[in-house]
Amino acid sequence: MKRWIIAVLALAIVASTVGVVYTRRNRTEIQIQTSPLTRGDIVDVVGATGTLQAVTTVQVGTQVSGTIQWLGADFNSIVKQGQVIARLNPSLFEAQVQQTQANLAQARANLTKARSDLDQRRVQLVDAQQKFDRARQLAGQRLLAPSDLDAAKIAVDTATAAVASQQATVTQTQAGVTQAEASVNQTQVNRAYTVIAAPIDGIVTQRNVDVGQTVAASMQAPTLFVIAADLTEMQVNANIDEADVGRIRPGQNVSFRVDAYPTDNFIGTVTQVRLQPVVVQNVTTYGAVITVPNRELKLKPGMTANVKIEIAKRTNALRIANTALRFRPNDEMFAALNQTPPPEAAGFGGAGRGGTGRGGRGGVAAGNPAHTPAPAGQQTARAAGGESGHGGAAGHGQPGGDGLGGNAGRGGPEFQARQMERFKTMPPDQQRQFIARMAERGGDTSAFEKAISGAASPKRPAAGPAAQATTIDALFAPLPVVESRGRAWLYIDNQLKPVTLRLGISDGTYTEVLGTELADTAEVVTGVTGLSPARTAPQPGGSGNPFTPGRGGPGGRGGPGGHGG
């Protein structure tokens, strides 16, 4: 009996212990992960790859064929303009010069003989003319027969023809002399081409021939040397993807690294954006020329540069982590926190792509007869975002859009000034569409119509002869101001509370906070841990990345916003 009682007590103790352990394991402890707002630099960059090369590169060739007799430069040789760097064997060209000089001497001798014959013909003409004059006098006195007068006249005509013929011979012989002189000059020039001189000051970066090698210049000039003008100033020819080329402008700062110096950061400037597309395996890129100083001569032609082009930069900006902007609480999280989901949480999932909505047309939701501002959640769900409809923390389209709307509603003077600034950066067709949409909503379009009725915008040069630009780079429109709307969550008094933010540029990790909705010391929620896997499972259609949102879940594509008054 005692053994049985002891066994029952032992079983009871084991069962209670297992129950306590099982209860503790199933009891979930909710933890709120937060991230503080910080201040620092935010740089929006575009990445690309490129190849380093000298700013000016000259290929030195030869215009005549022959055998290399002597070389006066090698790889890395520093040469000066006019310095002899190679010689071809001149024997054949010297023989040609001697031959043409002999032909010239013969042509000159023929010219001398032809001129002597011309003088003789002229003397004969004078003699015949004198005889004809005496015969004519005698014939007038009837002392000479008419036949003798006719013979004298024929002698004059014959001498005149002989003089003209000899004059033509002299002219022809003189042309032969000129041709012979040209042949002599040509052979002398060809002989001079056997001496190869440096056309510029620079450094020999390539040598393609050796002594004794025969070069043929029949169809094109063979390249003997490649000379770089000045390696203290180089350029990077970067390949910009077609998706990013619209954000590249001359004058933007560039930083890049090369594999030879992995810890060194080199600085350059965009000087040209070329319009020639390069298509490789259906991938289209455009060339951007980046000027780079190279006073230490570390950079060498042909190096591969990993380029980062600075599109925008903010110094000492208030930053929020992008993980906080991607955080989307769901009903299970609110239930675990014993909190009733706020209206903002319900409306946020149906908002626009990746952010605060796809296109409410005003800060006042539809169906509000008094035209009073709707609650924050309804503004976000039904009327947030600009007219372009791709607002949000990191939506697809231009952040913030170009229309009225968002939580700012019609806004004050600051909002109207920003709106006018965006309006001036639009192309003319988009400006007309913008005014038409405002007119449909009953808005005041006078200021915008006045902006386009006058002369061309100072930010965009006028088309036609009035534009004095010499390159297309000067006609590129300025980049639009980056501004969007996003939402973050605060954990206050054991509850999640939303806050709508005005956001600026992003570097992929942090996003600039433009408004004053949050203090510098605020901490925003980035995640909730401690939930069961069923509670933490992602909702269908949701996405943790604001740049590739799904449809229907948090951050998905919702319906268009309401029309404001």
Side-chain angles (χ1 to χ4, degrees):
M1 177 63 71
K2 290 183 179 180
R3 291 181 179 178
W4 182 81
I5 294 174
I6 294 173
V8 170
L9 293 175
L11 290 173
I13 294 173
V14 171
S16 61
T17 303
V18 171
V20 170
V21 172
Y22 180 78
T23 302
R24 290 182 178 178
R25 287 184 178 180
N26 285 304
R27 183 182 302 167
T28 58
E29 183 178 354
I30 305 301
Q31 295 182 355
I32 306 298
Q33 297 178 345
T34 60
S35 174
L37 269 66
T38 59
R39 283 197 172 272
D41 296 344
I42 299 179
V43 183
D44 182 12
V45 298
V46 168
T49 59
T51 304
L52 279 158
Q53 66 179 24
V55 176
T56 302
T57 301
V58 178
Q59 296 181 353
V60 182
T62 174
Q63 295 188 13
V64 296
S65 302
T67 304
I68 301 296
Q69 186 182 54
W70 176 81
L71 289 177
D74 201 352
F75 288 95
N76 300 337
S77 297
I78 299 177
V79 296
K80 299 295 183 181
Q81 184 178 5
Q83 176 181 340
V84 178
I85 56 178
R87 285 194 181 95
L88 300 179
N89 190 346
S91 301
L92 178 62
F93 300 96
E94 290 178 352
Q96 292 177 355
V97 170
Q98 293 175 0
Q99 181 179 355
T100 55
Q101 286 177 346
N103 294 337
L104 176 60
Q106 183 179 358
R108 288 175 175 173
N110 293 336
L111 178 61
T112 302
K113 182 178 180 300
R115 287 176 176 174
S116 177
D117 292 342
L118 177 61
D119 293 339
Q120 184 179 357
R121 297 294 188 274
R122 287 174 177 172
V123 170
Q124 294 175 356
L125 175 60
V126 171
D127 181 62
Q129 186 67 41
Q130 290 176 352
K131 290 180 179 180
F132 175 69
D133 292 340
R134 285 194 298 268
R136 188 168 48 184
Q137 292 176 1
L138 293 174
Q141 297 175 3
R142 299 191 180 197
L143 299 176
L144 185 66
S147 59
D148 293 337
L149 179 62
D150 293 339
K153 179 67 171 61
I154 292 173
V156 172
D157 293 341
T158 302
T160 302
V163 170
S165 177
Q166 189 62 33
Q167 182 67 44
T169 302
V170 170
T171 302
Q172 182 178 3
T173 307
Q174 190 173 5
V177 172
T178 303
Q179 184 176 3
E181 290 176 347
S183 298
V184 171
N185 293 335
Q186 181 179 1
T187 54
Q188 289 176 347
V189 169
N190 289 338
R191 182 179 62 182
Y193 282 152
T194 60
V195 178
I196 311 299
I200 60 172
D201 297 344
I203 301 173
V204 177
T205 60
Q206 185 176 345
R207 176 177 61 83
N208 298 327
V209 293
D210 291 308
V211 175
Q213 182 175 344
T214 301
V215 292
S218 57
M219 299 298 295
Q220 60 181 3
T223 301
L224 307 183
F225 299 92
V226 176
I227 299 178
D230 185 9
L231 293 184
T232 60
E233 189 78 15
M234 301 191 70
Q235 68 183 21
V236 179
N237 288 340
N239 300 319
I240 308 299
D241 190 84
E242 60 178 330
D244 298 323
V245 71
R247 307 172 64 196
I248 308 301
R249 297 290 187 274
Q252 292 175 336
N253 296 327
V254 179
S255 62
F256 66 93
R257 295 177 182 270
V258 294
D259 294 339
Y261 307 100
T263 59
D264 292 348
N265 194 36
F266 299 93
I267 305 298
T269 305
V270 177
T271 57
Q272 187 182 61
V273 181
R274 294 177 177 172
L275 303 185
Q276 180 183 6
V278 178
V279 181
V280 178
Q281 296 182 352
N282 295 330
V283 177
T284 303
T285 58
Y286 291 85
V289 179
I290 302 168
T291 303
V292 180
N294 186 33
R295 289 175 173 76
E296 297 181 2
L297 298 179
K298 288 185 175 181
L299 301 175
K300 297 172 176 55
M303 284 185 171
T304 300
N306 299 315
V307 177
K308 292 183 179 180
I309 302 176
E310 181 181 304
I311 306 301
K313 182 177 181 179
R314 303 290 185 269
T315 303
N316 195 29
L318 185 61
R319 307 180 301 183
I320 184 173
N322 287 353
T323 53
L325 298 176
R326 293 194 296 264
F327 174 70
R328 301 290 182 266
N330 52 32
D331 294 339
E332 288 78 9
M333 294 181 184
F334 289 116
L337 295 173
N338 297 322
Q339 177 183 349
T340 302
E344 292 86 345
F348 199 84
R353 178 183 298 180
T356 58
R358 191 189 173 184
R361 295 194 179 180
V364 181
N368 191 348
H371 295 285
T372 56
Q378 296 179 16
Q379 286 184 355
T380 301
R382 294 185 292 176
E387 184 65 30
S388 68
H390 290 274
H396 283 275
Q398 295 182 354
D402 59 353
L404 299 172
N407 293 333
R410 294 187 181 274
E414 181 182 356
F415 175 78
Q416 294 176 1
R418 293 197 309 270
Q419 194 177 40
M420 178 60 71
E421 184 177 358
R422 295 195 194 99
F423 178 80
K424 291 181 179 179
T425 61
M426 297 178 190
D429 55 342
Q430 293 186 11
Q431 289 180 343
R432 291 190 293 268
Q433 295 174 5
F434 179 82
I435 292 176
R437 289 194 298 266
M438 285 195 64
E440 291 177 1
R441 295 195 300 267
D444 183 10
T445 62
S446 58
F448 301 99
E449 292 175 351
K450 183 178 179 181
I452 64 174
S453 61
S457 173
K459 290 187 178 181
R460 188 183 300 110
Q468 301 298 325
T470 58
T471 62
I472 192 65
D473 302 275
L475 302 179
F476 287 155
L479 293 175
V481 178
V482 178
E483 183 174 335
S484 61
R485 291 276 173 174
R487 173 168 295 175
W489 293 80
L490 304 177
Y491 189 62
I492 302 175
D493 297 334
N494 297 327
Q495 288 190 342
L496 294 175
K497 295 185 178 180
V499 57
T500 303
L501 304 175
R502 287 176 50 230
L503 305 174
I505 65 173
S506 175
D507 60 2
T509 304
Y510 293 96
T511 299
E512 177 188 15
V513 178
L514 299 177
T516 59
E517 295 84 359
L518 292 177
D520 291 6
T521 58
E523 296 212 3
V524 291
V525 179
T526 58
V528 177
T529 60
L531 297 176
S532 62
R535 290 181 173 181
T536 59
Q539 296 182 359
S543 173
N545 189 344
F547 296 97
T548 57
R551 296 174 180 265
R557 181 195 291 267
H563 291 261

